[in-house]
């Protein structure tokens, strides 16, 4: 059975990886002097988002997800000035989405477990 929190969190990280990738391309177009640095940093961040989505079976995966949220918000301060506040806003928006997905996913899992326990109690020990 799928875990709603994991599905929501993984979806958020994959979407965030795409946004980071395209933002990296935009940053390199705006600041050609450091094009290589931006491509490497943005590529690593996007790859880490995708890899983190794959390790959400453990608490460490969720901790890494939080670290990525902080790093992505902070990365907005190293891009060209014309792009800075847009990147910070995007990072903050994804951090908010990440937080909401974890909260909602946890609540759905808890409620699903309560319903399953309630159905098990109503059926009785023999399953009938």
């Amino acid at each position: 059975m799928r875990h709603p929190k994991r599905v929501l969190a993984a979806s958020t990280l994959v979407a965030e990886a795409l946004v980071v990738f395209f933002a990296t391309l935009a940053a390199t177009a705006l600041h050609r002097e450091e094009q290589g640095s931006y491509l490497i940093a943005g590529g690593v961040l996007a790859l880490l988002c995708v890899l983190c989505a794959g390790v959400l079976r453990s608490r460490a995966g969720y901790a890494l997800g939080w670290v990525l949220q902080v790093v992505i918000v902070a990365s907005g301060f190293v891009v060209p000035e014309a792009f800075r506040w847009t990147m910070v806003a995007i990072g903050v928006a994804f951090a908010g989405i990440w937080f909401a997905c974890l909260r909602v996913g946890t609540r759905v899992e808890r409620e699903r477990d309560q319903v399953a326990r309630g159905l098990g109690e109503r059926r009785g020990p023999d399953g009938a």
Side-chain angles (χ1 to χ4, degrees):
M1 182 173 286
R2 290 194 175 194
H3 301 278
K5 181 169 84 172
R6 189 183 319 159
V7 170
L8 289 170
S11 300
T12 299
L13 287 169
V14 170
E16 193 167 13
L18 291 171
V19 170
V20 166
F21 173 74
F22 289 118
T24 298
L25 295 179
T28 58
L30 291 172
H31 206 263
R32 295 209 183 268
E33 296 85 40
E34 298 187 31
Q35 195 171 21
S37 301
Y38 288 144
L39 285 173
I40 291 170
V44 167
L45 275 177
L47 181 63
L48 284 173
C49 285
V50 172
L51 291 175
C52 182
V55 296
L56 290 175
R57 288 184 168 90
S58 70
R59 287 182 185 255
Y62 292 100
L64 176 60
W66 277 114
V67 170
L68 284 171
Q69 300 311 310
V70 171
V71 170
I72 289 170
V73 170
S75 72
F77 293 103
V78 297
V79 296
E81 192 171 332
F83 200 50
R84 180 165 298 148
W85 296 110
T86 302
M87 280 304 300
V88 170
I90 290 170
V92 169
F94 267 104
I97 293 168
W98 173 257
F99 175 75
C101 286
L102 295 183
R103 295 269 308 207
V104 169
T106 300
R107 186 175 62 215
V108 168
E109 287 178 0
R110 188 179 327 113
E111 290 173 0
R112 185 177 62 183
D113 291 344
Q114 288 173 348
V115 168
R117 279 194 304 272
L119 289 174
E121 291 171 4
R122 286 188 9 207
R123 287 187 182 163
D126 61 353

